[in-house]
Amino acid sequence: MTKEQEDFSKAGFVQSVVLPALLLFLIPTAGLLFFRHARSSFDDDARRVMLKQVTDDQEMTDEDRAQSREVIDSVPFSAMLRNPEFAQTVDAGLRRDYATFRWMIWLSWWSILSGVGVLLLAGVCVAFSLRSQQAQYLSLSVGWHVLRIYGAIQTVVQGAIVVALSFWMTALWAEVYYVKLIAIAGVAALAGIIAVLVAIFKQPENDYSIEGEVISRDDAPALWQNLASICQQVGTELPDQVIAGIDANFFVTTQPVTVGQQEYTGRTLYASLALMKMMAGTEADAVMAHEMAHFSGDDTTYSKKISPLLIRYNNYLQGLHDGVVTLPIFYFMLCFRNLFELSLNKLSREREFRADRIAADVTSPDDIASALLRIAAYATYRNSIEDELFKQEESLGVANISEQIESGFAAYSASFLSNHDLRSLETFHPFDTHPPTAQRLAAVGVDSSAANGQRLLANEVDGRWYRNIHTADQLEGEQWSEYEERFRKFHEEVLTYRYLPENQEQMELVVKYFPARAFTGKKNELDFDYEKVKLSSWAEPILWSRIKDCSMNDGGVLEISSKNAKTKKIKTREFGAQAQEVVEVFNQYYTRYLAAREYKKKKEAEIATAFESEATSLD
């Protein structure tokens, strides 16, 4: 990263994370300033009244009158109320007003000062978390418990300030108050409190499903034997299960995982059949040593402990975000979460460098380097094939992804680094972030130049680990078949959001996913299809292409304005239990039309741009 990029990154972080966090102080600062002003205003009014009383009191001597005026000028009325005997002589309503000011000022000060204190505590936690994985877990645990309680209290406090402001700002400045405004503020504050409480007690969903097959020792004795040898060299125990799939990565975890309908606990290794088939045996040895090194360093243990805390924290953030009035608190909490992400990324990358060093010791630096490059090349090539298939404007007969990869990967990898910058390459991991591949190569002492990387990719591959699984061909074929069929169906469904049907084939595909729908109400029949909506009481249907605007009013009436026609209405409540479904179908069918219209505009613009570029080049 250049100095300019680093400076921009820091400025962007401050602008997008730190500054919004300061919104936490907006409401209490406004409350503090306003209620101090309100108290001062009331004090001035009381001073004038008391001075007039002193002036009008004919029984007072000049000396007593002078002393009374001196006391009134030097001691605010709010301070006089602290004397219980004097307070009893004051109207109860006025005492309540002053009590409100006093509490709002106190709550505002508490909100501001506690915010500063918690911000400092969060900074200490983040700094401490950089020391080790244990420190990271302790810091996040302490930070989570402190911040969730603090956030809940702040929600109540700032909600109270908002409600008080909604009454007193108009009452003081306009001598009137608006019940509706106070009610809105009260409902918003209550909604924020409820959202926070729900988020606090929401149980984290930590299920992780993996597509693949569990490889038993009987299915692949050679694989388990090789794995045992690597574990012995790394200094760790064998995983409890090996899951073989076709995703373009390898990883380990101690979190419970679900394969099919079965849950597996303990230490899990996920191994990619698709990658092992394309790798040399020594490259796969290095990858397995790298993954087992995560077990030996307790990396997965800490990931398992931290993951539920992060899920709870994210749920809490969502609750604060949904609370609307709690948005300032949301940004404050988000700041800590983003700062902690710096710690997570730092230690995550250190874990990867450590695992790479161990893999290089078990095999060789070149082996782990070539494995990393081959994984990056494979993932890039696979993504490019899937992208090209996804861009197709007609339904795919078959999505022959695996066939294209197998037939073209060797040629692709031979020139991979001539088209890709090694410094920007990274490998995917479902639980951790990985450093750029160039940094990982340099860390194990391998020349990270493109020429050397291309030399490593030229090594012969033998698929030894793949061949160690007796049923590898069958397992891979079945998984690719299921994946490619899902890909084909998803692409087919996406096409319906691209088509404004121009032929019979396109129309049939759109109708397949957006068939005619009919609803029967108390007085009307309502019909939808891919090109229009029709209510039986209307003289004619409304084409989706003719709609200018649509909205739902408080009475459940869907109002549709169209070109050169009067606004038409659909009373959704007329359809009883189907009212919500009517709205959903309207949204789905109209959204499909809008998406297809925008896609057509985009394609036409691309064609026009390409034509202009070609014409310019010819000139």
Side-chain angles (χ1 to χ4, degrees), residues 519-586:
F519 296 89
T520 302
K522 294 178 181 179
K523 298 180 180 180
N524 289 285
E525 293 283 336
L526 180 62
D527 297 289
F528 293 96
D529 62 36
Y530 75 91
E531 61 180 354
K532 62 185 180 297
V533 56
K534 173 71 168 66
L535 196 67
S536 56
S537 60
W538 296 346
E540 57 185 16
I542 301 178
L543 297 175
W544 300 119
S545 59
R546 304 292 295 175
I547 293 178
K548 293 193 301 181
D549 190 25
C550 56
S551 61
M552 178 80 76
N553 66 24
D554 294 339
V557 178
L558 183 61
E559 299 180 347
I560 308 169
S561 59
S562 55
K563 300 173 183 176
N564 302 322
K566 293 182 179 180
T567 298
K568 295 184 178 180
K569 300 179 180 181
I570 300 174
K571 298 178 180 179
T572 61
R573 293 178 181 176
E574 176 187 339
F575 297 90
Q578 292 184 302
Q580 183 60 35
E581 188 177 0
V582 165
V583 175
E584 291 173 356
V585 170
F586 181 93

Side-chain angles (χ1 to χ4, degrees), residues 459-519:
N459 292 339
E460 186 177 350
V461 300
D462 54 24
R464 171 161 53 85
W465 280 76
Y466 180 87
R467 289 185 287 103
N468 282 342
I469 303 173
H470 297 323
T471 57
D473 286 332
Q474 178 186 346
L475 293 177
E476 187 190 20
E478 291 173 352
Q479 291 184 47
W480 271 118
S481 179
E482 293 176 5
Y483 177 82
E484 290 173 349
E485 181 59 18
R486 289 200 307 272
F487 183 96
R488 187 192 67 78
K489 287 183 176 179
F490 180 67
H491 171 261
E492 185 178 77
E493 186 172 355
V494 168
L495 285 179
T496 65
Y497 287 86
R498 299 179 185 174
Y499 288 161
L500 294 174
E502 298 176 351
N503 55 48
Q504 185 68 21
E505 184 180 349
Q506 290 183 0
M507 185 190 70
E508 289 176 356
L509 182 60
V510 172
V511 170
K512 177 180 177 180
Y513 289 92
F514 291 86
R517 298 287 303 274
F519 296 89

Side-chain angles (χ1 to χ4, degrees), residues 279-528:
M279 300 177 78
T282 54
E283 292 174 344
D285 289 342
V287 170
M288 297 304 178
H290 171 100
E291 298 303 336
M292 294 305 102
H294 284 307
F295 282 141
S296 71
D298 283 335
D299 300 344
T300 55
T301 301
Y302 283 106
S303 293
K304 182 181 179 181
K305 292 167 70 175
I306 287 175
S307 181
L309 289 174
L310 293 176
I311 293 172
R312 283 182 177 275
Y313 200 107
N314 291 338
N315 288 340
Y316 194 55
L317 284 175
Q318 188 62 51
L320 290 171
H321 185 273
D322 294 343
V324 183
V325 75
T326 55
L327 277 175
I329 306 170
F330 161 78
Y331 286 116
F332 180 81
M333 301 282 279
L334 182 64
C335 180
F336 174 76
R337 178 65 179 83
N338 285 328
L339 286 172
F340 199 83
E341 192 67 29
L342 300 176
S343 170
L344 291 172
N345 289 340
K346 177 180 180 293
L347 293 187
S348 174
R349 293 184 174 214
E350 288 179 359
R351 290 195 294 266
E352 294 305 318
F353 285 132
R354 172 187 172 274
D356 286 343
R357 288 194 299 270
I358 292 174
D361 291 340
V362 171
T363 55
S364 74
D366 275 2
D367 286 327
I368 185 63
S370 60
L372 292 173
L373 291 171
R374 204 169 304 280
I375 291 171
Y378 177 91
T380 305
Y381 185 53
R382 174 171 170 171
N383 287 339
S384 68
I385 289 174
E386 292 184 1
D387 286 346
E388 286 302 314
L389 287 172
F390 198 72
K391 290 176 183 176
Q392 297 298 314
E393 297 294 339
E394 296 180 358
S395 296
L396 303 172
V398 290
N400 57 341
I401 301 170
S402 59
E403 180 182 328
Q404 291 189 57
I405 293 174
E406 194 160 345
S407 62
F409 181 64
Y412 177 83
S413 60
S415 59
F416 174 61
L417 291 179
S418 62
N419 300 313
H420 294 85
D421 187 351
L422 186 58
R423 294 171 297 179
S424 64
L425 293 178
E426 295 185 23
T427 52
F428 169 75
H429 193 286
F431 300 108
D432 278 317
T433 58
H434 281 171
T437 303
Q439 292 182 18
R440 297 177 70 178
L441 266 59
V444 294
V446 173
D447 178 10
S448 59
S449 67
N452 187 57
Q454 206 59 64
R455 176 187 66 82
L456 294 172
L457 282 173
N459 292 339
E460 186 177 350
V461 300
D462 54 24
R464 171 161 53 85
W465 280 76
Y466 180 87
R467 289 185 287 103
N468 282 342
I469 303 173
H470 297 323
T471 57
D473 286 332
Q474 178 186 346
L475 293 177
E476 187 190 20
E478 291 173 352
Q479 291 184 47
W480 271 118
S481 179
E482 293 176 5
Y483 177 82
E484 290 173 349
E485 181 59 18
R486 289 200 307 272
F487 183 96
R488 187 192 67 78
K489 287 183 176 179
F490 180 67
H491 171 261
E492 185 178 77
E493 186 172 355
V494 168
L495 285 179
T496 65
Y497 287 86
R498 299 179 185 174
Y499 288 161
L500 294 174
E502 298 176 351
N503 55 48
Q504 185 68 21
E505 184 180 349
Q506 290 183 0
M507 185 190 70
E508 289 176 356
L509 182 60
V510 172
V511 170
K512 177 180 177 180
Y513 289 92
F514 291 86
R517 298 287 303 274
F519 296 89
T520 302
K522 294 178 181 179
K523 298 180 180 180
N524 289 285
E525 293 283 336
L526 180 62
D527 297 289
F528 293 96

Side-chain angles (χ1 to χ4, degrees), residues 152-305:
I153 296 174
Q154 274 282 17
T155 299
V156 175
V157 169
Q158 296 206 13
I161 296 173
V162 167
V163 173
L165 286 171
S166 69
F167 170 80
W168 276 105
M169 289 182 74
T170 58
L172 181 67
W173 289 335
E175 297 184 354
V176 66
Y177 64 89
Y178 300 97
V179 175
K180 190 172 183 179
L181 176 62
I182 300 169
I184 291 172
V187 169
L190 183 61
I193 293 170
I194 292 173
V196 169
L197 290 176
V198 169
I200 286 177
F201 294 105
K202 183 178 181 180
Q203 293 300 312
E205 296 179 4
N206 201 24
D207 296 334
Y208 187 73
S209 297
I210 297 178
E211 292 189 4
E213 291 288 335
V214 175
I215 305 299
S216 69
R217 287 169 172 76
D218 293 336
D219 292 333
L223 180 146
W224 280 94
Q225 185 176 355
N226 288 343
L227 200 54
S229 175
I230 287 174
C231 286
Q232 184 176 7
Q233 296 177 72
V234 171
T236 189
E237 297 177 0
L238 276 166
D240 296 296
Q241 53 271 329
V242 174
I243 299 172
I246 58 171
D247 287 349
N249 61 75
F250 297 84
F251 64 85
V252 291
T253 183
T254 53
Q255 296 190 46
V257 298
T258 301
V259 182
Q261 301 299 316
Q262 180 69 39
E263 183 179 75
Y264 295 88
T265 58
R267 296 147 62 99
T268 298
L269 164 67
Y270 177 88
S272 172
L273 289 166
L275 278 169
M276 288 191 293
K277 190 175 186 178
M278 302 292 181
M279 300 177 78
T282 54
E283 292 174 344
D285 289 342
V287 170
M288 297 304 178
H290 171 100
E291 298 303 336
M292 294 305 102
H294 284 307
F295 282 141
S296 71
D298 283 335
D299 300 344
T300 55
T301 301
Y302 283 106
S303 293
K304 182 181 179 181
K305 292 167 70 175

